[in-house]
Amino acid sequence: MKKKTTLNDIAHRMGLSKVSISKALRNHPDISENTKKKVRVLAKDMGYRPNLIARSLTSASSKTLGVIVPKIAHNFFAQVVAGIQQYANTMEYEIVLTVSDENESQEQKHIERLVAMQVDGLLVSVSMETRNYEIFNWLQEIQIPLVFFDRHIPGMGFNSVIIDDEAASIEAVDFLFNRGCKKIAHLAGYNHVSIGHKRRMGYEKGLNKYDLPVDDSMIIEGGFSEKFGYQGFKKIYSQGVKPDGILAVSFPVGLGAYIAMREVNPILMENIQILTFGDSGIGGVVSYPQYYLDQSGIEMGRRSAELLIKEIQGEIKPEGIIHFIETRIIDTGNISLVLAENLDK
Amino acid sequence: MKKKTTLNDIAHRMGLSKVSISKALRNHPDISENTKKKVRVLAKDMGYRPNLIARSLTSASSKTLGVIVPKIAHNFFAQVVAGIQQYANTMEYEIVLTVSDENESQEQKHIERLVAMQVDGLLVSVSMETRNYEIFNWLQEIQIPLVFFDRHIPGMGFNSVIIDDEAASIEAVDFLFNRGCKKIAHLAGYNHVSIGHKRRMGYEKGLNKYDLPVDDSMIIEGGFSEKFGYQGFKKIYSQGVKPDGILAVSFPVGLGAYIAMREVNPILMENIQILTFGDSGIGGVVSYPQYYLDQSGIEMGRRSAELLIKEIQGEIKPEGIIHFIETRIIDTGNISLVLAENLDK
DNA sequence: TTAATGAACTTTACCGTTTAAGTAAACTAG
DNA sequence: CTAGTTTACTTAAACGGTAAAGTTCATTAA
């Protein structure tokens, strides 16, 4: 790479000190209008670009946010990142994006690296694997602004932005019940992951609401991927239990269940309603699973970036406040409606 | 944020100079094993973390790559970013991700910002709107390593990694022809965008191959979103032309066409085969469009990151070489096959 | 025995920028 | 007319780290 023009280079050419150049370019009152003009012209001429790294070193602010997502090639997280970008951009922040790949040690490495890079704050969605919170304790000690999104660790004092999973689950059971389902199974996530736990709690509360029995054989705990949905359904089915509705903890799980169902007996597709958390990412042209709980990743991204930046700027404090993003049930049977909303994008 | 421990802090505590501490921690031979041990212990104790920004300033390398994508909440680009991440991670590089939102001036701003941030190289997928290449000329002048991916500007000397769109289009026509299509329409992208242009060229070559006429009323130029697919199909149809196959420039376009088709007359869904570039992002459970050209974003991301890092390390030079990523046609009618591949993820 | 060698440090200087603290000349007020 | 203020700069110091060039003292080779 070619050597870059620095303040000093300009200073020498103009016979001024580098500080004067710095001030001129930052429109500091110390410098005369006349000089400022000349400096600006020469700076442009010489292709001067401020070295933001050097600036960060003095200003102790990098105008940079560290983001850690468990996955990026995953519609929901891609959306969240888009939302973060949108807000960060308007505030002149840049994003250093890292992916934990649901791996605790990766997550840890990234956190350390980001902190070492002097990001002004962190946005993290905790990996499913994470059990050891030491690193987060450390982050709290060094008091770096941090906002959790989607997957948080409650009770640590960090603010977080999440889906109101419990409420959404209750709503989901409501919805299925109102469509005639009396035996609703739940393909649940891991119970130690907050979303898994909450979705399950909501599911149980929803059943209670209608005096439906909570039957353990109707709850399969597992992961969030297609594989678990597939295996989960087969497991339920092999037990001889016949659900008429399924609440799946994620779209892939619902998808896996659907595949399994089709494999077992295509007729089931008409008799079992599947409702999943999260959509496929293509705005509603998937025929099955038909219903899903729409979670606005964009909104979540924006909100969390907003909170983080406010925290960085000292406008708010980390108080362990949980902000909820609303969820609504979408019926993909009604494609044209969903599409109409998307046509203008 | 709490004040961070620096080399100097450790130095004072130990009664050594900061340079010795620096050397000790970097395992420099100048320092005795004994001292090194003590330094390491104390450093850990005091919670010392090197300030990477300061380090970058001297080393003139930030171990950071700037990435510019037109969209992020878009399966293909999310995949590419995942691929970039994967490779960059193994090489200890971090990613500063920016989104141009298909906007020329945004793109320009991001490039300037990233350069100012002293990223070691740039990975860019050019926005659809971009007509003015000045900024890229500048990048070439300052000789910053840059690799284009997916959307490139040929003839500028930068290396790029793209889909072999022309070949893929020819293959696509082949495929449709072999399934009996004789009147294949093309919902094309903009002709000034390289992928739009190439896909169209391939489409025409494909038709020529089978002596099918190239009929301008069967080619609708437009964007890459659902809206254009929808409008495009309606336009073709309103002209009284009845295609039996459609090659759509992107999945959303194919999707829009499908919706339009269904609106016009559901029977068409059985008589018109749609083949799209790119998939929906959910691994094959969309019933329509049934066929798509699979583009491995992950692979593209990996390859471009690899090229860029090699260029940064001086192993290769920018020579305007175009690297092609292969494409294959997927039939979503055969769901279980596709899924089987995904179950292990 | 003495100069060269090596081990284990320290000092100086620099990366590019900013902030704080000068300084000289011109301007203003009493 | 002189002291005080302004204007338009400059110099010094700092941010946290690294590289290069000393410096000491102990050891080794001739």
Side-chain angles (χ1 to χ4, degrees):
Chain A
M1 227 192 308
K2 241 173 150 180
K3 224 203 137 245
K4 286 163 182 160
T5 308
T6 70
L7 289 180
N8 242 325
D9 299 333
I10 304 179
H12 285 142
R13 280 256 213 130
M14 291 202 53
L16 287 178
S17 75
K18 66 176 171 183
V19 177
S20 297
I21 308 297
S22 168
K23 282 178 174 169
L25 292 171
R26 280 175 300 136
N27 202 25
H28 193 287
D30 265 8
I31 310 297
S32 73
E33 270 316 315
N34 202 291
T35 310
K36 277 180 190 169
K37 240 175 245 167
K38 283 191 214 152
V39 171
R40 280 194 274 255
V41 170
L42 186 60
K44 188 155 202 178
D45 222 65
M46 297 177 67
Y48 172 77
R49 309 273 156 165
N51 181 329
L52 262 27
I53 277 200
R55 186 175 286 173
S56 301
L57 195 56
T58 31
S59 66
S61 138
S62 59
K63 284 294 212 159
T64 268
L65 306 180
V67 177
I68 306 177
V69 287
K71 293 274 178 197
I72 179 66
H74 193 305
N75 181 251
F76 179 71
F77 288 115
Q79 271 193 56
V80 175
V81 171
I84 293 174
Q85 275 288 345
Q86 278 176 19
Y87 190 82
N89 250 269
T90 65
M91 303 300 280
E92 307 266 282
Y93 276 82
E94 294 297 335
I95 300 305
V96 182
L97 179 74
T98 66
V99 180
S100 68
D101 220 4
E102 302 286 12
N103 181 146
E104 177 162 21
S105 78
Q106 285 274 343
E107 182 175 82
Q108 203 170 312
K109 263 190 216 156
H110 286 308
I111 290 177
E112 293 187 9
R113 192 98 206 280
L114 291 169
V115 171
M117 285 177 75
Q118 317 296 116
V119 296
D120 292 345
L122 289 169
L123 286 166
V124 0
S125 187
V126 183
S127 134
M128 253 165 52
E129 245 188 32
T130 304
R131 306 289 147 81
N132 183 345
Y133 300 161
E134 241 177 80
I135 187 96
F136 295 102
N137 280 318
W138 172 63
L139 291 174
Q140 204 171 43
E141 256 171 55
I142 64 170
Q143 294 174 38
I144 190 168
L146 183 156
V147 170
F148 284 124
F149 62 90
D150 196 47
R151 314 243 199 96
H152 72 317
I153 303 173
M156 289 204 67
F158 293 116
N159 292 332
S160 42
V161 179
I162 58 173
I163 300 291
D164 192 344
D165 284 294
E166 196 175 301
S169 262
I170 295 176
E171 232 180 281
V173 173
D174 258 17
F175 182 88
L176 291 172
F177 184 82
N178 288 328
R179 315 207 133 225
C181 301
K182 299 276 132 64
K183 289 174 80 176
I184 303 170
H186 182 32
L187 295 173
Y190 295 118
N191 211 42
H192 68 262
V193 177
S194 87
I195 55 168
H197 179 70
K198 295 220 185 110
R199 288 174 186 182
R200 182 180 178 158
M201 293 317 287
Y203 160 78
E204 295 185 5
K205 285 195 185 169
L207 293 183
N208 287 334
K209 195 168 149 187
Y210 294 106
D211 289 321
L212 297 173
V214 175
D215 176 357
D216 278 349
S217 64
M218 295 276 268
I219 304 175
I220 306 291
E221 198 173 314
F224 296 81
S225 67
E226 273 166 33
K227 188 165 66 174
F228 293 102
Y230 182 89
Q231 293 169 344
F233 183 82
K234 291 234 163 159
K235 191 164 173 198
I236 288 184
Y237 215 74
S238 71
Q239 292 169 341
V241 193
K242 310 258 186 280
D244 52 12
I246 293 178
L247 172 59
V249 75
S250 75
F251 181 85
V253 166
L255 188 54
Y258 165 68
I259 304 302
M261 190 188 284
R262 217 172 59 159
E263 233 177 80
V264 170
N265 185 352
I267 217 69
L268 294 177
M269 290 155 56
E270 282 165 34
N271 301 330
I272 305 182
Q273 318 225 32
I274 302 186
L275 194 160
T276 74
F277 270 83
D279 68 346
S280 65
I282 56 155
V285 181
V286 194
S287 32
Y288 285 92
Q290 188 176 358
Y291 308 110
Y292 69 90
L293 284 153
D294 177 47
Q295 309 167 331
S296 175
I298 302 265
E299 182 59 19
M300 178 178 281
R302 276 204 214 107
R303 285 281 293 281
S304 28
E306 188 184 347
L307 281 174
L308 181 63
I309 292 177
K310 287 208 169 125
E311 201 176 314
I312 291 170
Q313 298 179 335
E315 285 175 41
I316 58 172
K317 296 240 165 294
E319 304 180 280
I321 294 174
I322 297 172
H323 301 254
F324 290 108
I325 298 291
E326 273 180 28
T327 270
R328 60 190 173 134
I329 293 170
I330 305 283
D331 178 351
T332 61
N334 199 346
I335 294 176
S336 45
L337 208 164
V338 178
L339 261 166
E341 289 177 26
N342 290 328
L343 284 181
D344 301 320
K345 273 187 207 158
Chain B
M1 226 192 307
K2 242 173 150 179
K3 224 203 138 248
K4 286 163 182 159
T5 309
T6 71
L7 289 180
N8 243 324
D9 298 333
I10 304 179
H12 286 142
R13 281 255 215 132
M14 292 202 51
L16 288 177
S17 75
K18 68 172 174 185
V19 176
S20 297
I21 308 298
S22 169
K23 284 178 174 169
L25 292 172
R26 280 176 300 139
N27 203 26
H28 193 286
D30 265 7
I31 309 296
S32 73
E33 270 315 316
N34 201 291
T35 311
K36 277 181 190 167
K37 238 177 247 168
K38 282 190 213 153
V39 171
R40 280 194 274 257
V41 170
L42 185 59
K44 188 156 202 179
D45 222 66
M46 296 176 68
Y48 172 77
R49 310 272 157 165
N51 180 330
L52 263 27
I53 277 200
R55 187 176 286 171
S56 302
L57 197 55
T58 28
S59 65
S61 138
S62 60
K63 283 293 214 162
T64 268
L65 306 180
V67 176
I68 306 178
V69 287
K71 292 275 178 199
I72 179 65
H74 193 303
N75 181 253
F76 179 71
F77 288 115
Q79 270 193 58
V80 176
V81 171
I84 293 174
Q85 275 289 343
Q86 278 176 20
Y87 191 82
N89 251 268
T90 65
M91 304 299 282
E92 305 267 283
Y93 276 82
E94 294 298 334
I95 299 305
V96 182
L97 178 73
T98 66
V99 179
S100 67
D101 218 5
E102 301 286 12
N103 181 145
E104 178 162 20
S105 78
Q106 285 273 342
E107 183 175 82
Q108 203 170 314
K109 263 190 217 158
H110 285 309
I111 291 177
E112 294 187 9
R113 193 98 206 279
L114 290 169
V115 171
M117 284 176 76
Q118 317 296 118
V119 296
D120 291 345
L122 289 170
L123 286 165
V124 0
S125 186
V126 184
S127 135
M128 254 164 51
E129 246 189 33
T130 304
R131 306 288 147 81
N132 183 345
Y133 300 161
E134 240 177 81
I135 188 97
F136 295 102
N137 280 319
W138 172 64
L139 291 174
Q140 204 170 43
E141 255 171 56
I142 63 170
Q143 295 174 37
I144 189 167
L146 184 155
V147 170
F148 283 123
F149 61 91
D150 195 47
R151 314 242 200 98
H152 72 319
I153 303 173
M156 289 204 67
F158 293 116
N159 292 331
S160 42
V161 180
I162 59 174
I163 300 291
D164 193 345
D165 284 294
E166 198 176 298
S169 263
I170 295 176
E171 231 179 280
V173 173
D174 258 15
F175 183 87
L176 290 173
F177 184 82
N178 289 329
R179 313 207 135 226
C181 300
K182 298 276 131 66
K183 289 174 80 175
I184 303 170
H186 182 31
L187 295 173
Y190 296 117
N191 211 41
H192 69 262
V193 177
S194 86
I195 54 168
H197 178 71
K198 296 219 185 111
R199 287 174 188 182
R200 183 181 176 157
M201 293 317 287
Y203 160 77
E204 294 185 7
K205 285 194 185 169
L207 292 184
N208 288 334
K209 194 167 150 188
Y210 294 106
D211 288 322
L212 296 173
V214 175
D215 176 355
D216 278 350
S217 63
M218 296 276 267
I219 304 174
I220 305 291
E221 198 174 313
F224 296 80
S225 66
E226 273 166 32
K227 188 165 67 175
F228 293 102
Y230 182 89
Q231 293 170 345
F233 182 83
K234 291 232 163 163
K235 192 164 173 196
I236 289 185
Y237 214 73
S238 71
Q239 292 170 339
V241 193
K242 311 255 186 280
D244 52 11
I246 293 179
L247 173 59
V249 75
S250 74
F251 181 85
V253 165
L255 188 55
Y258 165 67
I259 303 302
M261 190 188 284
R262 214 170 62 157
E263 234 178 79
V264 169
N265 185 354
I267 219 69
L268 294 176
M269 292 155 53
E270 284 166 32
N271 301 330
I272 306 181
Q273 317 226 32
I274 302 185
L275 194 161
T276 74
F277 271 83
D279 69 344
S280 65
I282 57 159
V285 180
V286 195
S287 32
Y288 286 91
Q290 189 177 355
Y291 308 112
Y292 68 91
L293 285 152
D294 179 46
Q295 310 167 329
S296 176
I298 301 265
E299 183 57 20
M300 177 177 284
R302 275 203 215 106
R303 284 279 293 281
S304 29
E306 189 184 346
L307 282 174
L308 181 63
I309 291 176
K310 286 208 169 124
E311 201 175 315
I312 290 170
Q313 299 179 335
E315 286 176 41
I316 58 172
K317 296 241 164 296
E319 305 180 280
I321 294 174
I322 297 173
H323 300 255
F324 290 108
I325 298 291
E326 272 179 30
T327 271
R328 59 187 175 137
I329 293 169
I330 305 281
D331 178 351
T332 60
N334 200 345
I335 295 176
S336 45
L337 208 163
V338 178
L339 261 165
E341 289 178 26
N342 289 327
L343 284 180
D344 302 320
K345 275 188 206 160

